[in-house]
Amino acid sequence: MALKDNIKKKRQENNMTLEEVALKVGVTRQTIQKYESGVVSNIPSDKIELLAKALNTTPAYLMGWSKNLDIDNERLLLDEKELLSNYRLLPLPEKDGARAYMERLAKPYKTNNDSGTHSYLDNVYGEAAAFGGDSARIPVSKEALEELLRRSAKDEL
């Protein structure tokens, strides 16, 4: 597919109007329409990057160089990069707390598995083991994690 076709396809898949895309890219509705119709085929690279971000895809996909449709297949979203950068700054005890907090937030969105019934904190300790340690090496006690979860539930953090 050509660039013009990929732009239109992704806009329609995202249920976006020409105006919505134009607003995110910083151009007029007519400009987006010209991109999609092929009237303008030499789109500046900075606009292709903004289009990709607005359409939740990659510049490579829009250009037809990649078949990957989703941005997650090729790179992290900017907010994910920021989360990862902040996480890497934390010392180990705080990383454990951050993982526990994220696990608690994500729990309602995860599907149940067939691994049996485990408590939430058992899952947290299991996740810590997956990061290269075991529960004996985790410097945060179960009580400290419970306190973190209690406080986060009350938004005291």
Side-chain angles (χ1 to χ4, degrees), residues 61-144:
Y61 173 77
L62 289 180
M63 296 298 295
W65 301 333
S66 168
K67 294 189 187 287
N68 292 329
L69 300 177
D70 295 325
I71 199 165
D72 296 331
N73 290 334
E74 292 196 12
R75 62 185 165 99
L76 296 173
L77 295 171
L78 291 176
D79 58 338
E80 292 170 327
K81 285 182 182 181
E82 183 180 351
L83 286 169
L84 185 57
S85 294
N86 289 337
Y87 176 82
R88 288 179 175 164
L89 294 172
L90 299 173
L92 185 58
E94 281 78 11
K95 284 182 180 179
D96 292 334
R99 277 196 302 270
Y101 180 70
M102 290 298 293
E103 183 70 24
R104 184 187 68 75
L105 290 176
K107 187 177 182 180
Y109 304 100
K110 291 185 176 182
T111 58
N112 292 332
N113 58 35
D114 296 326
S115 63
T117 57
H118 299 286
S119 75
Y120 170 69
L121 289 175
D122 289 338
N123 290 336
V124 170
Y125 281 103
E127 288 291 321
F131 281 89
D134 56 46
S135 60
R137 292 175 51 198
I138 296 175
V140 177
S141 69
K142 184 174 181 177
E143 293 77 23

